Amino acid sequence: MATGTEEPTLTVDELAARAGVTVRTVRFYSTRGLLPPPVIGPRRVGHYGRDHLARLALIEELQHQGMTLAAIERYLEQLPPDLSARDLAIHRALVASWAPDKPEDMTRAELERRAGRALSEPDLDLLTAMAVLERPEAGGDGYRVDPGLLRLGVELLDVPIAHETILAARTVLLEHTRSAAQELTRLFRDEVWSPYRERESDPEHVAAMKSLSAHMQPMVVQALVTAFRRSLKEELRAAFTAR
């Protein structure tokens, strides 16, 4: 529920539903210190915000990567305490970026439970257009869902921007990121891989190349995200300052 222009606040039940977890899980994470305490409102009811939701999503992603709760605690302790929901979402994206793509099959009920809300037919149409999910074939009830994109797609459903604009922005991002990926791949192939092929007999060089290959994707993704954030900030500042 919203209070004026302030950030919407959620009860523990609403938070759990939006995050796709149980209330018991939320309370367990809170007792472990993984979630900051809620804001206590009238009648001693705790209220949670977008930061809690983003942190829950990050915790779930880290668990999906196979990290133990102890490892997740250490990971979260290293993060600045004042990170915004947007910053936490970027951390989650970076964590998920090197995870194998594993689409999941879900029923409509499971899809809405994971989304934390009911989904109308127009909502499903937009999620399909954003490649978040594939609708079931005629007579079926199973949706093919990309869990890594589901939370982002659901959040975009409430963004006060025309759906056409969101899809146009997605097209721009896909075109330019594909171009960057092609150029980076060419650079890696010509400047790194080719010299490696000439030195395959050197065991130390082979080991170094295997290590680089294993860590290349997350490093490149983090570099791209950092560069894009800075560029976008500068462009927005210039655009609105000019106006």
Side-chain angles (χ1 to χ4, degrees), residues 66-189:
M67 292 181 65
T68 64
L69 281 177
I72 292 174
E73 287 177 7
R74 291 193 296 271
Y75 181 93
L76 295 178
E77 287 172 356
Q78 295 173 5
L79 300 180
D82 58 347
L83 284 184
S84 67
R86 180 186 61 182
D87 294 326
L88 289 168
I90 291 173
H91 270 276
R92 178 181 176 274
L94 290 173
V95 170
S97 65
W98 57 85
D101 294 327
K102 293 182 179 179
E104 297 181 19
D105 293 320
M106 303 180 190
T107 63
R108 177 72 170 267
E110 173 64 12
L111 174 59
E112 292 186 337
R113 189 190 70 80
R114 294 282 290 274
R117 55 179 284 178
L119 298 172
S120 65
E121 289 302 314
D123 290 339
L124 293 174
D125 289 339
L126 183 59
L127 292 175
T128 301
M130 289 190 293
V132 174
L133 58 82
E134 295 178 12
R135 283 179 174 273
E137 299 179 358
D141 62 350
Y143 292 80
R144 192 74 168 165
V145 182
D146 185 331
L149 291 177
L150 179 58
R151 195 178 304 278
L152 173 61
V154 171
E155 290 180 359
L156 287 175
L157 295 177
D158 294 326
V159 172
I161 300 176
H163 291 171
E164 293 77 7
T165 304
I166 293 176
L167 296 180
R170 177 178 179 273
T171 299
V172 171
L173 287 172
L174 287 177
E175 289 179 352
H176 288 278
T177 52
R178 184 176 297 278
S179 176
Q182 290 172 343
E183 288 300 312
L184 288 170
T185 300
R186 181 193 60 77
L187 185 65
F188 183 80
R189 181 193 64 214

Side-chain angles (χ1 to χ4, degrees), residues 233-243:
K233 185 177 181 180
E234 292 170 0
E235 290 296 324
L236 290 173
R237 181 188 295 118
F240 286 100
T241 299
R243 289 190 176 186

Side-chain angles (χ1 to χ4, degrees), residues 3 22 33 37 48 58 69 93 95-96 130 143 174 202 218 226:
T3 55
T22 64
Y48 301 81
L58 177 58
L69 281 177
V95 170
M130 289 190 293
Y143 292 80
L174 287 177
D202 184 345
T226 301

